Amino acid sequence: MLLFRPLHISIDYRSEEHINGLDHFLAILSPDISMARLSNGTAYLISLLTLEVEISNKDDDVFLKNLEKSIFELDAIAEQSACTISAAFTLPYQIFGLITQPFYGFLTHDEFQRVPKSKKNESPFFPTITRSVDVVRAGQVLRERPEAARLLAGAVNASRPTAKLVSNMRIFEAAFKKSGEELKGTSFLFLDKANLEYSKTEIDHWIHCRHRVAHADNKSRVMFDSDVYSLIPRVSQAALDIVFNKKIWRNKSTDRLEPTSLGTTFSGQEMRLTVGVYTAFNIITTDLFGRFPVSPQGVSLNMLDIVPALEKKACKVFDGALTHDGYAKRSEIIENRR
């Protein structure tokens, strides 16, 4: 099976010289990434990354696990290309996924017969980011704990998912005066009282990821933006809860103040509103795997547009395709063109 992962990469450029340099650099760096269009100071690149995936097992769980692993390998290639461009030109970048076509799989007739069939569709993530809207109460609390104000401001102003994770976890560490393994149990005991369905497994995972994001001494354990993107909304909400509702700052105590400040909260895909409090919230749509936000430009791809790019890779026959949720179905969109 030929697996194809379409992703959009935006590079904020400063001059036409940057564009010319990018175009030349891309030709050397990767033949699978090319300039798509320019708009408002941003060069939109489109990645055409492919990977061969062997179908050797009819077990649905095994197949889908291998499929997801392969897609993440493609994501790593795209991220590496974006990081290389960003580092070479000292320009910021952003990677976007797609809702309608998170990936494609092109199969021969024989391969298609061996792919597990679907029983359900998966939904993309729709995390809600909470905001502190009780300004008077927030001001009172932050005057009493100025360190918390500076730490929270750092988290709010962090732009990359990895930076946001570390900045928010610093709030946990300062509030409970603990770090690493010691922080896990105490954080859970406090957040469990918020009635927002935080689990110990979830919180332990945040702390585990924080270490892998902040430290790079072990190459096999380093994490990057796409690895933690889906964690940020819940981590940010928990950090707000700690700043405004922890009774004693810089203390291992898990006692809480009266719950205030958070007009909106969420658990999974369920949003909760506080009665009588003005509500402000954002809905963020991600790609199927929760690794990238959806392109704000609404860029999409037609399967027929992809065929010429794949033909250059000597692909011969396509008579089956995978749907965006990772399962197989018959497709008459792409015909044998050879």
Side-chain angles (χ1 to χ4, degrees):
M1 180 181 76
L2 183 65
L3 185 65
F4 170 74
R5 172 71 157 158
L7 291 173
H8 296 285
I9 305 169
S10 72
I11 305 290
D12 294 334
Y13 65 91
R14 302 188 187 100
S15 66
E16 290 303 317
E17 285 73 21
H18 272 122
I19 292 300
N20 296 332
L22 274 171
D23 207 19
H24 177 69
F25 191 73
L26 281 171
I28 300 174
L29 178 66
S30 174
D32 295 324
I33 299 182
S34 58
M35 199 81 70
R37 61 194 178 93
L38 307 177
S39 175
N40 299 324
T42 301
Y44 283 89
L45 316 176
I46 184 169
S47 63
L48 305 174
L49 302 170
T50 58
L51 187 71
E52 292 288 347
V53 180
E54 183 178 351
I55 301 174
S56 58
N57 196 312
K58 273 197 170 185
D59 184 272
D60 287 42
D61 292 336
V62 172
F63 171 73
L64 293 176
K65 185 176 181 180
N66 290 337
L67 180 67
E68 185 173 276
K69 179 182 177 182
S70 298
I71 290 171
F72 290 177
E73 289 178 9
L74 294 183
D75 290 350
I77 296 172
E79 279 192 287
Q80 184 61 54
S81 299
C83 288
T84 302
I85 294 170
S86 177
F89 290 86
T90 61
L91 297 172
Y93 76 92
Q94 177 69 60
I95 300 179
F96 300 104
L98 299 175
I99 276 289
T100 52
Q101 299 98 6
F103 69 88
Y104 294 112
F106 296 101
L107 306 90
T108 64
H109 179 77
D110 179 62
E111 286 176 325
F112 185 82
Q113 298 301 320
R114 290 182 283 137
V115 175
K117 302 302 184 289
S118 66
K119 295 180 181 179
K120 64 179 181 178
N121 292 323
E122 298 291 340
S123 300
F125 293 85
F126 294 94
T128 306
I129 293 184
T130 65
R131 292 180 181 172
S132 172
V133 294
D134 187 347
V135 179
V136 174
R137 174 73 177 103
Q140 292 172 343
V141 171
L142 294 175
R143 280 196 298 272
E144 295 169 2
R145 45 187 71 163
E147 179 188 49
R150 298 183 71 161
L151 288 170
L152 182 56
V156 170
N157 285 279
S159 58
R160 310 298 304 187
T162 47
K164 279 190 173 294
L165 178 64
V166 173
S167 297
N168 278 295
M169 293 310 300
R170 290 176 71 198
I171 292 172
F172 283 60
E173 294 166 352
F176 296 104
K177 206 177 179 179
K178 292 184 177 183
S179 63
E181 293 295 322
E182 293 183 349
L183 184 60
K184 292 181 177 179
T186 305
S187 298
F188 171 69
L189 289 175
F190 177 85
L191 293 171
D192 186 47
K193 301 173 185 177
N195 193 30
L196 290 171
E197 300 177 23
Y198 292 111
S199 68
K200 189 174 186 304
T201 300
E202 180 182 20
I203 296 168
D204 287 355
H205 182 60
W206 297 347
I207 296 170
H208 172 72
C209 290
R210 179 253 186 269
H211 180 79
R212 293 180 65 176
V213 161
H215 302 286
D217 55 316
N218 189 327
K219 182 179 179 181
S220 64
R221 297 168 64 86
V222 178
M223 282 186 166
F224 298 96
D225 286 339
S226 62
D227 298 310
V228 300
Y229 177 78
S230 63
L231 306 181
I232 301 307
R234 289 273 280 175
V235 173
S236 299
Q237 173 178 276
L240 283 173
D241 188 23
I242 291 172
V243 167
F244 293 115
N245 294 324
K246 191 174 189 304
K247 189 171 185 178
I248 307 175
W249 188 254
R250 275 205 171 274
N251 187 285
K252 65 181 181 179
S253 168
T254 59
D255 292 340
R256 301 174 67 91
L257 297 169
E258 291 297 321
T260 57
S261 296
L262 302 184
T264 57
T265 54
F266 70 101
S267 172
Q269 294 187 22
E270 175 184 302
M271 184 170 65
R272 305 179 185 184
L273 307 181
T274 302
V275 176
V277 177
Y278 173 75
T279 300
F281 57 90
N282 296 330
I283 301 295
I284 299 177
T285 305
T286 73
D287 76 318
L288 178 71
F289 305 101
R291 294 169 66 80
F292 304 106
V294 171
S295 172
Q297 303 298 324
V299 181
S300 185
L301 294 177
N302 185 298
M303 294 180 77
L304 290 176
D305 295 334
I306 299 172
V307 174
L310 294 177
E311 285 179 341
K312 294 179 181 178
K313 298 180 178 296
C315 304
K316 293 182 179 179
V317 178
F318 314 128
D319 71 349
L322 296 182
T323 63
H324 71 276
D325 59 356
Y327 296 90
K329 72 174 183 179
R330 288 291 181 186
S331 174
E332 298 179 356
I333 298 178
I334 295 181
E335 303 174 352
N336 180 9
R337 295 192 173 191
R338 294 184 181 276

